[in-house]
Amino acid sequence: MLPDHDPYSVTIGTMPLSDGGTLYYTGAPLSAGPLPAIFYFCSTGEESLGQDPYNQPVTYVSEYPLRVFSLSLPYHDEATDRRQAVDLWAQALQQGIDPLTPYLQQVVDAIAEVVAKGLAPSGKIAVAGLSRGGWIATHAAARSPHVKAVAAFAPLTDLLVLDEFKSLHDNPVVQAMSLNNVIDSLVGKPLRYYIGNRDTRVGTDNCYAFVRRLAEHSYSQQFRSPPVEFIVSPSVGHLGHGTTTRAFHSGAQWLLNILGLSEKEGGYP
């Protein structure tokens, strides 16, 4: 068990994975048996779950009977400044190293392992993420049959929008990792994105374009009212790439409703 100390505002536990990785979690002890779960992605596992303001969704759901799990994003443990981790992704890809495909498989395997160990029922698992973590969460929702829904805050939806990836248009891994390639696997899964009206880091327009493609494809697959939502609010933070406490809490409440743990208003009044 990790110590409960500054800068972390919640107690964080660890669970070794069969592939040698470490899964971080908050909530009931693992010995308490199966509970609904949220996998939340933002930075390192500790920071995603324990550091304010990134962990606002985690603290919001802390009074409910569920666990929140997280895996450290690629290279975030190695980056002294977490903001430089995406640059490390791009540098690795330029050198012919793929840090993304194995990581996404690790996420899918971790979700399956949680189910196999009786820690969460299949279909009672949601994923959520902030910024690049939203991109990871969306891929996880598409790739795992156990995931019911995805909520993302200021989500990255296109790697090529990032300044660090401008020179990687022709990179086969970047092309393969496009969220457009997994749209079919997202049909029918509730999805809600929150973003600022002028986010120039991940692109408000790019995020909306992805949601529209998903909605149109869902409609073509006989979903007459696709469960796909796009919520825009005034931008905050550097490059308009920030998320308000209100948006974090709204998304967390929506996930509680999806998982059957609450019936409070989950919208964005």
Side-chain angles (χ1 to χ4, degrees), residues 14-199:
T14 60
M15 170 184 149
L17 293 169
S18 57
D19 64 5
T22 299
L23 187 62
Y24 298 85
Y25 72 93
T26 66
L30 302 182
S31 59
L35 289 172
I38 297 171
F39 278 72
Y40 179 60
F41 305 94
C42 170
S43 178
T44 67
E46 293 172 272
E47 289 176 348
S48 297
L49 298 179
Q51 188 165 350
D52 185 67
Y54 311 120
N55 73 337
Q56 281 292 313
V58 180
T59 58
Y60 185 89
V61 305
S62 61
E63 300 302 316
Y64 290 84
L66 82 165
R67 298 185 186 94
V68 184
F69 294 96
S70 188
L71 283 164
S72 295
L73 270 59
Y75 297 155
H76 280 64
D77 286 305
E78 292 85 350
T80 302
D81 182 347
R82 309 295 189 231
R83 293 171 296 182
Q84 302 304 313
V86 170
D87 191 45
L88 296 179
W89 292 8
Q91 290 177 32
L93 289 166
Q94 288 169 340
Q95 296 165 11
I97 301 169
D98 176 7
L100 303 178
T101 305
Y103 177 78
L104 289 173
Q105 187 59 53
Q106 183 185 32
V107 170
V108 172
D109 291 345
I111 294 170
E113 190 165 335
V114 163
V115 173
K117 289 184 174 179
L119 301 176
S122 181
K124 284 288 187 177
I125 297 173
V127 291
L130 172 64
S131 189
R132 69 206 71 167
W135 184 84
I136 296 291
T138 305
H139 267 293
R143 293 163 183 249
S144 173
H146 303 298
V147 173
K148 185 173 184 178
V150 53
F153 309 96
L156 172 67
T157 54
D158 184 350
L159 290 171
L160 293 172
V161 172
L162 301 175
D163 290 339
E164 297 90 336
F165 279 75
K166 295 295 187 185
S167 64
L168 291 167
H169 264 273
D170 297 325
N171 185 281
V173 174
V174 174
Q175 293 176 344
M177 289 290 100
S178 172
L179 285 179
N180 292 330
N181 296 334
V182 298
I183 280 180
D184 195 57
S185 298
L186 290 167
V187 171
K189 291 191 176 185
L191 178 146
R192 180 181 278 199
Y193 281 171
Y194 294 82
I195 197 166
N197 55 17
R198 190 180 180 278
D199 188 324

Side-chain angles (χ1 to χ4, degrees), residues 195-200 202-209 230 232 235 240:
I195 197 166
N197 55 17
R198 190 180 180 278
D199 188 324
T200 60
V202 299
T204 299
D205 290 347
N206 302 83
C207 184
Y208 175 68
F230 180 74
V232 182
S235 279

